[in-house]
Amino acid sequence: QVQLVESGGGSVQAGGSLKLSCAASGFITYRNCMGWFRQTAANERERVATYDTRGSSTVYADSVKGRFTISRGNAKDTLYLQMNNLKPEDTAMYYCATGSTGVGGSCHWVGAMDYWGKGILVTVSS
């Protein structure tokens, strides 16, 4: 059973930084897709940053390009999201996720993920 637990969220002023972590247990190394998503009460869950281990491809949402960076820990069991120059519109629940895709399948969407963390709140004040 794969378990994902997020940490590192909280409240910050606009322009500040936070680093989210996602600790995994179970067979996360067997999943080729991993990523961060976010959701507000008014919006559907959206992709923030996703990573495909099969070619080390990374995709960022246009709204976070140049500000956010997704990375993996050396032990491959932790996923990070470094968030810089935060804006009030980044306020949301952030979720880490992982999943498997077949040959030719894309990791870079919500439907590619099979397992989700419970989420962690990030609040950015102006």
Side-chain angles (χ1 to χ4, degrees):
Q1 182 73 22
V2 175
Q3 291 185 326
L4 303 173
V5 180
E6 301 96 341
S7 61
S11 298
V12 65
Q13 289 190 329
S17 298
L18 286 173
K19 186 173 184 178
L20 303 183
S21 300
C22 179
S25 61
F27 296 101
I28 191 172
T29 55
Y30 289 71
R31 306 301 194 265
N32 64 284
C33 303
M34 51 190 67
W36 291 93
F37 297 77
R38 66 187 182 187
Q39 186 171 16
T40 64
N43 297 319
E44 294 183 350
R45 192 165 297 187
E46 64 174 1
R47 182 193 66 213
V48 175
T50 48
Y51 177 71
D52 186 343
T53 64
R54 296 173 301 181
S56 298
S57 66
T58 304
V59 176
Y60 293 95
D62 289 342
S63 59
V64 307
K65 282 181 182 177
R67 300 188 298 121
F68 290 12
T69 303
I70 188 172
S71 63
R72 297 177 73 187
N74 291 333
K76 309 299 183 186
D77 59 355
T78 306
L79 188 67
Y80 300 103
L81 184 68
Q82 177 67 48
M83 305 185 294
N84 298 327
N85 190 22
L86 283 159
K87 303 176 180 181
E89 52 264 41
D90 295 318
T91 295
M93 284 290 290
Y94 283 73
Y95 301 86
C96 66
T98 187
S100 301
T101 60
V103 175
S106 173
C107 284
H108 308 299
W109 66 302
V110 172
M113 306 299 166
D114 302 311
Y115 299 95
W116 294 83
K118 293 183 178 180
I120 193 161
L121 182 62
V122 171
T123 303
V124 185
S125 58
S126 58

